[in-house]
Amino acid sequence: MAELATIARPYAEALFEVSRGDLAGTQSWLDGLAGAAGSGELLQFAASPKVNADQVFELISSVLKTALPKPGVNFLRMVIDNERLQALPEVARQFRQLANGASGTADALIESAFPIGEGQLSALVATLEQRFGRKLRATVQLAPELIGGVRVAVGDEVLDTSVKARLEQMKMALTA
């Protein structure tokens, strides 16, 4: 949704600029806020005319696993006051991209048909880091529908070496 991306960009950029000293810490509490704001029930509660900003702040604070630091409290109050709770997941995503760019890293989603052992994962990540030319923070997700192999997404780049993808390629070649 382009509109949310446009709304979220100034928040993510401003937060990035003021938190350069602790990007990982900021990302941690921002992910917590984004998770809370991803709840439809919370957004519906916040949109109610019977609810004030302090009640919304207290509800969000109560569902977080850890207490917000002072910058997080200030940021959340500003987002609530500007009625931008729905943009928080996008703010977190854009902040992560800015933080990754500053540190020369990227998030990688590795989908595998079978569980990957630690040794295999280390070797795979090392190979992928050479392929993509940057340090990767890998997250592994099981996807049995791949039949075999892996599919890796780094940003908007996708490397699909799964059996399912190969079968699709063979199908396309045979029907062309």
Side-chain angles (χ1 to χ4, degrees):
M1 174 179 244
E3 186 176 304
L4 272 183
T6 303
I7 291 169
R9 186 172 298 109
Y11 290 94
E13 289 172 351
L15 192 55
F16 175 75
E17 289 302 320
V18 299
S19 63
R20 280 191 181 265
D22 186 22
L23 293 175
T26 302
Q27 186 68 62
S28 176
W29 60 256
L30 186 57
D31 285 342
L33 289 178
S39 164
E41 292 87 9
L42 177 91
L43 294 176
Q44 195 174 28
F45 174 79
S48 172
K50 296 179 180 179
V51 176
N52 64 36
D54 288 333
Q55 290 171 313
V56 174
F57 178 83
E58 289 304 320
L59 176 64
I60 293 172
S61 296
S62 70
V63 299
L64 296 176
K65 292 179 183 171
T66 58
L68 285 173
K70 182 78 169 145
V73 169
N74 294 339
F75 181 75
L76 179 57
R77 288 207 181 272
M78 178 188 60
V79 168
I80 292 170
D81 290 344
N82 292 329
E83 298 179 0
R84 298 295 192 210
L85 277 178
Q86 74 280 4
L88 273 176
E90 181 64 18
V91 170
R93 189 189 69 74
Q94 288 186 22
F95 181 87
R96 176 175 277 112
Q97 286 180 331
L98 292 168
N100 284 346
S103 65
T105 62
D107 294 324
L109 174 62
I110 301 172
E111 294 177 301
S112 174
F114 301 101
I116 300 175
E118 283 299 317
Q120 290 175 315
L121 181 60
S122 297
L124 177 60
V125 169
T127 302
L128 291 170
E129 286 176 348
Q130 288 179 339
R131 163 75 168 74
F132 289 101
R134 55 190 174 257
K135 186 87 173 136
L136 298 176
R137 278 191 296 257
T139 304
V140 179
Q141 207 174 54
L142 286 181
E145 69 274 6
L146 296 179
I147 304 170
V150 296
R151 179 176 31 218
V152 180
V154 178
D156 60 355
E157 296 179 74
V158 177
L159 175 64
D160 194 345
T161 62
S162 67
V163 172
K164 180 180 179 181
R166 290 182 187 163
L167 289 172
E168 288 294 323
Q169 289 171 349
M170 289 172 50
K171 178 182 171 186
M172 295 295 283
L174 290 173
T175 58

